[in-house]
Amino acid sequence: MSHTQPSSLNLEISSKASWWWVVAILYCLSGLTSLAYEVLWARMLSMQFGVSIFGVVLTVAAFMIGLGLGSLAGVRWAKRCNKPLLIFAALEIAIALYALLLPNLLQSVGGWMDGIAAQLTWSQWYLLQGAEALCLLVVPAFAMGVGFVLVLKVVERTPLSLGKLYGLNTLGGAVGALLPLWSLPILGWIVSVRIVALLGLLVGGAAFMLSRFMPSGDSSPKIKTDNNLLRPPLAALVIYAGIGAASIMLEIGWVRLYGMIMLRTEYVLGIILAVFLLGIALGSMLLPRVHKHWMSIIMPFLAGGGVLLSLYLLPVASAWVERSEFQSLFGAMWSQALMLGIFTLPVTLALGAWLPLLADRFGNAESSGAWLYGANSLGGGVGAVVACLIGIPLFGSVAVVALAGLAITALGLLWVKSRPAWLAFAVMLVIAWPLRNMPQVHELLPKIEANSRDLYLYEDAVSLTHVVQQQDGQRILLSDLQRMDASTEPSAVEIQKDQARLALLLHPAPHHVLFLGVGTGISVAGSQPFPDLQRSAVELSQGAILSASKWFAPVNGNIMDQVQMQRDDARHFLNTTQQNYDVIVGDLFHPDLAGMGSLLSVQQFQRARNHLTADGVFVQWLALNQFDIQSLNVVLRSFRRVFPDAQMFMDGMHLALVGPRQNFSGAIATLANLQRMTTQDQLRSTGDEGAWTWLGRYWGPIPQSAGPVQDEWVPYVEFNLPRARYDGSMDLVGLLTWLLQRHPDAEAAMKILGIKTEDKKQFGRAYVATELMTRGWIASIQGDAEKAGQLTWLAHEANAQDRWIANALADNMLQSLAQASQHGLSEREALQRILKVAPEYVGALRILWHLEQSAGNKQEAERYRLRLRAVSPLDVEVNDGKKL
């Protein structure tokens, strides 16, 4: 290419000392868009995989590998480039256009993947999806890596040092990591991607305009140099790559641990990235200015010691989050980001200072910096994969973080010849030894899990599962610490069993049932009384499967021995199985967690419908306290789109969405189902409540409405619920009132259910009782105890068989036990009256047992103890004080 003299305008602009600061600002904005893409793409992959940590790992791995390869390739390309800023501009524009196309591209590839899913096992499906996502994300990351070297080329003869440029880019990245945390809850995922892509186009356009007014590269003859001389020593590259691997292992471990005690995983990823990059930016811009020999020794200990300190402070951080009350989602994010910054800043400052310091050591910032940056990034990509597939499953998140901190220290000390430093490292090993295990749950959650003890911990890349025994002996299942999936408390056991009872009662003769999720296995146990029933279940969490088989067997009746268990993602399983089912039960779960909302999508409901027999029924359970009206309406609308004859049933604070493959059979199916059973099995299959109680919980058809639906690729629920959780929109009274307005009158309900005239009285009493009890709950939540008590009593008068009504009335009676004598009743007589209302009421059984013991009535005391043990088999006191 021939070179001409630059125009007068070129000379004028190039002579201004400020032009390179324009380049620096543009590169700062480039860092902003790059990290915003990373958080948004991690969210996209969480939707695809249904598990946040996989999305995080794949995105981080793809970014680091792409950045590393791009940087190393750019070292050679930049030497021959006379217009580096022009090419940088083209790359920024290309990345933005790619970001706009990527969702559609991934969705198209996803459709092809669904088509071949039947030929793949669950692990093969995940690996193929991972490889596909990795390939798609490496492309833009590669371009970003090349851009780093090109910008170094642009400013190589300016006062802008490598440390300043790297720091400004990472400072922009810190802002970019936070940007989606604002945009996702308000604008959703698609709009967020478009906004970031638009900013990327503006950066590329500005760089293009600036490149037109800059002179071409120096046309003077260049001295031929050996690229190997410009490259730092191989040992230094390997060491810095190892630091990169340990740093990303640290990042992945922090995302798991702080995602466990803080907000959802992708929000925590954004916060951690922002804090991480802020520290790196400050470290790269500030610490090299005060570089002394002693800093080379201090920096590894600053990084590694900070990591270990963050682990020792993890229970403190968790306890602070547990007792804090945040007024908004953004308030929670800022407060928790500040806490993370305090814990992690020493580590990130040291990590940020290393690159400019090493580049200065080996000379030629453009070449050395690019080589070191590339090696560090490639190491980071490897570290992400190792952390997910090897480190966390084998050692656990806490140990992975501790090992990463120790590795950073050891690798940093390889550049320092100091025997005392290695002796200090030996002390660090001793300090790190207690950090090999996860802290106890009662340490992490001292408010709600005080005096509990851990029975079992299982951790892999999918989830972290705890089984915890509380002081009274009851056990709970915790997933990623934040979610209590199930409990062995007697009333909670009945709630879980009802998930199977209702679904199976709505089919005339179910022979094959599929449970999408097993939790503790207690819900599956509700299917035991149904004759000739084949049970299948799919569960992604291996920890949950093992827990249901062992730790909850005393409560679920060893039901897992009768289940064809498949470890799989529910979406993949329904895409691959050739089996059809009479009944499919969608388990309760926390819908606001990343990836979980896909189980409430139109696509997932359609997958379930495709695997129902001709008269099959799909039942999806929802916990009402987890929804606001707007989000619930989105789910109802999505369900009705797939099941036009969809109905609702209310069981306590749980809403059942009932989707028949064809037409809703109503009472005809339920009564036909019960007629094929013995009298005893009829009672057991209804939980001793009778068929009319269950039919009385009918809540009407899902109403037709206009508005958005929950789509796997355009999700709504996951983004609205976290915001609603903090801003007060989660109004249970308002939600129950809204549902009451959609409760049809008894005559309309009888017509839909197909109830005969001669059964009108039985159904009507149960139907009215359900509505009265719901109104009673509203009054109770509002603090009107008198009104709540009156409504509860009326509901019990209407239907004494309803367990929820009986238990609520028993609660009221127990609370007024002290006033029993005013009505001429002894304490014993009052308690026995409570048991007539609710025969399995634990509170009354326990007090009567104690009364008979105190009176020396051993036989009566033993009778009450055995009744209590039958209801609550894990109760410590009832088992003679011996913990199971």
Side-chain angles (χ1 to χ4, degrees):
M1 179 183 296
S2 62
H3 299 282
T4 60
Q5 288 294 108
S7 66
S8 60
L9 181 61
N10 285 349
L11 287 170
E12 180 184 350
I13 292 182
S14 62
S15 64
K16 293 182 179 180
S18 59
W19 71 265
W20 42 269
W21 274 111
V22 178
V23 176
I25 292 171
L26 289 177
Y27 196 49
C28 178
L29 293 174
S30 174
L32 186 154
T33 58
S34 297
L35 267 296
Y37 287 139
E38 182 172 352
V39 175
L40 290 170
W41 288 340
R43 181 65 188 85
M44 175 182 66
L45 295 183
S46 294
M47 289 188 288
Q48 183 177 2
F49 285 95
V51 181
S52 293
I53 197 67
F54 281 142
V56 169
V57 169
L58 280 173
T59 307
V60 171
F63 258 72
M64 301 309 292
I65 292 172
L67 288 172
L69 293 175
S71 179
L72 295 177
V75 172
R76 297 180 181 275
W77 297 345
K79 295 296 180 184
R80 301 189 295 270
C81 179
N82 292 323
K83 285 281 190 179
L85 189 58
L86 178 62
I87 298 184
F88 170 77
L91 290 175
E92 287 292 307
I93 293 172
I95 291 168
L97 294 175
Y98 188 86
L100 291 172
L101 294 174
L102 185 60
N104 293 330
L105 180 61
L106 195 60
Q107 189 171 359
S108 299
V109 175
W112 171 77
M113 293 275 295
D114 285 347
I116 66 169
Q119 305 169 31
L120 304 173
T121 64
W122 166 70
S123 57
Q124 290 172 337
W125 187 60
Y126 262 51
L127 286 173
L128 185 58
Q129 282 193 110
E132 161 234 325
L134 198 65
C135 291
L136 290 175
L137 295 188
V138 160
V139 173
F142 181 89
M144 295 173 190
V146 174
F148 172 70
V149 183
L150 292 172
V151 174
L152 285 177
K153 173 73 173 178
V154 172
V155 300
E156 65 180 336
R157 290 186 176 89
T158 71
L160 194 62
S161 66
L162 172 65
K164 291 178 181 177
L165 186 69
Y166 182 57
L168 286 170
N169 181 256
T170 50
L171 191 63
V175 177
L178 293 175
L179 178 61
L181 307 190
W182 166 82
S183 65
L184 281 173
I186 296 176
L187 304 174
W189 186 73
I190 293 293
V191 175
S192 297
V193 170
R194 291 171 180 169
I195 289 174
V196 176
L198 176 61
L199 182 57
L201 290 173
L202 292 176
V203 170
F208 175 76
M209 294 300 295
L210 183 62
S211 70
R212 296 184 60 189
F213 301 113
M214 287 183 60
S216 299
D218 186 5
S219 58
S220 60
K222 299 186 183 297
I223 302 173
K224 186 177 180 180
T225 59
D226 185 353
N227 280 329
N228 290 327
L229 296 177
L230 301 177
R231 187 189 70 191
L234 182 60
L237 293 177
V238 172
I239 292 172
Y240 199 47
I243 290 175
S247 300
I248 298 302
M249 290 177 70
L250 174 62
E251 183 181 311
I252 297 296
W254 272 346
V255 169
R256 162 57 68 83
L257 292 177
Y258 287 108
M260 182 180 68
I261 65 173
M262 290 169 48
L263 296 163
R264 297 176 358 170
T265 303
E266 70 272 19
Y267 288 134
V268 173
L269 171 65
I271 292 173
I272 286 179
L273 281 174
V275 173
F276 214 86
L277 292 171
L278 179 62
I280 287 176
L282 294 175
S284 64
M285 290 189 290
L286 300 179
L287 290 187
R289 294 184 178 183
V290 294
H291 178 55
K292 304 290 183 183
H293 175 70
W294 56 267
M295 278 201 61
S296 299
I297 301 175
I298 292 297
M299 277 174 47
F301 290 106
L302 184 67
V307 171
L308 299 185
L309 181 62
S310 74
L311 290 178
Y312 274 108
L313 293 176
L314 183 66
V316 176
S318 181
W320 174 77
V321 172
E322 183 191 25
R323 65 174 178 266
S324 298
E325 294 184 5
F326 304 104
Q327 300 303 313
S328 68
L329 174 63
F330 299 112
M333 287 193 290
W334 285 115
S335 298
Q336 295 179 20
L338 180 61
M339 178 197 70
L340 272 175
I342 294 172
F343 287 174
T344 62
L345 191 60
V347 184
T348 54
L349 283 172
L351 294 176
W354 251 315
L355 178 62
L357 290 176
L358 291 174
D360 286 344
R361 173 182 293 187
F362 299 116
N364 194 316
E366 177 194 341
S367 181
S368 294
W371 278 102
L372 289 165
Y373 181 82
N376 185 265
S377 298
L378 282 175
V382 174
V385 176
V386 169
C388 180
L389 300 183
I390 300 174
I392 290 177
L394 285 181
F395 307 112
S397 299
V398 170
V400 163
V401 170
L403 289 171
L406 292 172
I408 290 171
T409 305
L411 290 168
L413 291 178
L414 292 177
W415 281 312
V416 180
K417 296 180 179 180
S418 171
R419 187 170 298 176
W422 284 103
L423 292 175
F425 179 71
V427 174
M428 276 190 68
L429 293 175
V430 176
I431 295 172
W433 179 251
L435 298 172
R436 63 192 184 280
N437 297 319
M438 179 75 67
Q440 295 282 305
V441 169
H442 70 263
E443 297 175 11
L444 296 170
L445 301 174
K447 183 178 178 181
I448 62 174
E449 290 301 331
N451 302 315
S452 68
R453 69 184 184 95
D454 292 8
L455 293 179
Y456 175 67
L457 171 63
Y458 182 91
E459 185 175 6
D460 58 20
V462 174
S463 65
L464 187 149
T465 304
H466 271 105
V467 178
V468 177
Q469 181 172 288
Q470 297 177 318
Q471 194 172 16
D472 61 0
Q474 303 301 341
R475 295 172 183 172
I476 60 172
L477 180 69
L478 296 173
S479 294
D480 290 335
L481 199 65
Q482 288 189 351
R483 304 172 342 217
M484 187 181 79
D485 285 352
S487 166
T488 61
E489 195 275 325
S491 61
V493 168
E494 294 303 320
I495 293 173
Q496 295 165 71
K497 288 183 177 180
D498 283 352
Q499 294 179 45
R501 286 169 178 155
L502 174 65
L504 292 167
L505 284 169
L506 292 175
H507 191 281
H511 293 293
H512 199 175
V513 58
L514 171 66
F515 293 91
L516 301 178
V518 295
T520 59
I522 297 173
S523 57
V524 183
S527 69
Q528 281 182 323
F530 290 84
D532 305 320
L533 189 64
Q534 182 180 349
R535 301 169 183 85
S536 298
V538 56
E539 171 64 58
L540 184 58
S541 170
Q542 183 65 25
I545 295 172
L546 296 172
S547 298
S549 299
K550 179 180 180 182
W551 297 103
F552 292 93
V555 181
N556 66 36
N558 293 296
I559 189 65
M560 300 306 293
D561 294 340
Q562 305 173 37
V563 177
Q564 294 180 358
M565 191 69 240
Q566 181 74 34
R567 188 192 182 194
D568 202 345
D569 177 272
R571 296 172 302 159
H572 173 256
F573 179 83
L574 291 175
N575 275 331
T576 59
T577 184
Q578 302 300 312
Q579 180 70 51
N580 288 335
Y581 303 90
D582 298 313
V583 176
I584 300 178
V585 183
D587 199 6
L588 288 166
F589 55 86
H590 292 252
D592 63 326
L593 298 174
M596 300 301 288
S598 296
L599 298 178
L600 297 177
S601 66
V602 171
Q603 292 89 339
Q604 177 66 1
F605 293 152
Q606 186 62 55
R607 293 184 191 106
R609 188 178 187 276
N610 292 341
H611 288 283
L612 291 173
T613 56
D615 55 353
V617 177
F618 172 55
V619 177
Q620 178 62 61
W621 286 93
L622 306 175
L624 291 176
N625 64 340
Q626 295 174 352
F627 287 88
D628 64 333
I629 295 175
Q630 198 172 7
S631 299
L632 179 60
N633 213 8
V634 168
V635 176
L636 296 179
R637 195 179 298 123
S638 305
F639 197 83
R640 193 182 188 281
R641 175 173 290 189
V642 178
F643 297 98
D645 201 16
Q647 310 292 323
M648 296 184 290
F649 280 75
M650 183 87 82
D651 181 46
M653 289 294 174
H654 294 160
L655 188 67
L657 310 185
V658 178
R661 173 68 186 254
Q662 296 179 356
N663 297 317
F664 180 57
S665 300
I668 297 172
T670 301
L671 297 175
N673 191 346
L674 291 172
Q675 285 173 2
R676 66 195 183 97
M677 303 183 197
T678 64
T679 303
Q680 184 179 4
D681 282 345
Q682 287 182 23
L683 285 173
R684 292 176 61 220
S685 64
T686 62
D688 294 330
E689 294 183 284
W692 296 113
T693 296
W694 279 102
L695 291 171
R697 289 172 177 154
Y698 175 68
W699 208 262
I702 294 180
Q704 187 171 7
S705 62
V709 296
Q710 176 72 359
D711 187 280
E712 285 184 348
W713 293 99
V714 189
Y716 180 93
V717 170
E718 297 98 320
F719 300 130
N720 189 65
L721 283 181
R723 185 177 53 176
R725 173 184 169 189
Y726 289 102
D727 67 9
S729 300
M730 305 284 274
D731 177 15
L732 188 55
V733 169
L735 184 61
L736 290 172
T737 304
W738 182 81
L739 285 170
L740 276 170
Q741 295 168 357
R742 283 147 184 81
H743 196 214
D745 59 48
E747 292 290 338
M750 285 181 60
K751 184 176 181 181
I752 296 172
L753 290 169
I755 293 174
K756 299 177 181 179
T757 305
E758 58 265 30
D759 296 322
K760 178 178 180 179
K761 182 178 180 180
Q762 296 181 82
F763 169 75
R765 292 177 69 88
Y767 192 74
V768 169
T770 300
E771 180 164 326
L772 286 171
M773 191 66 247
T774 304
R775 294 185 182 278
W777 283 327
I778 292 175
S780 179
I781 297 169
Q782 292 176 325
D784 192 340
E786 183 178 354
K787 182 179 179 180
Q790 292 172 351
L791 289 168
T792 302
W793 178 257
L794 289 173
H796 185 259
E797 285 289 295
N799 182 19
Q801 285 187 285
D802 190 303
R803 183 191 312 107
W804 308 125
I805 298 172
N807 283 342
L809 183 58
D811 285 338
N812 294 340
M813 294 171 71
L814 189 66
Q815 289 172 8
S816 61
L817 188 61
Q819 286 79 46
S821 60
Q822 299 174 10
H823 299 278
L825 296 173
S826 67
E827 184 179 16
R828 183 179 281 102
E829 289 172 334
L831 290 166
Q832 288 170 345
R833 284 197 175 190
I834 293 176
L835 291 182
K836 287 182 179 179
V837 172
E840 297 182 344
Y841 191 71
V842 170
L845 288 171
R846 190 182 305 278
I847 297 173
L848 280 166
W849 172 36
H850 292 165
L851 282 175
E852 299 299 349
Q853 276 185 323
S854 300
N857 300 327
K858 294 183 179 180
Q859 188 172 353
E860 277 297 297
E862 181 64 10
R863 185 169 67 86
Y864 283 119
R865 189 187 74 85
L866 292 177
R867 284 180 64 180
L868 184 57
R869 184 176 183 179
V871 176
S872 185
L874 294 176
D875 191 290
V876 170
E877 185 183 22
V878 84
N879 286 287
D880 298 322
K882 296 178 181 178
K883 296 183 180 181
L884 296 181

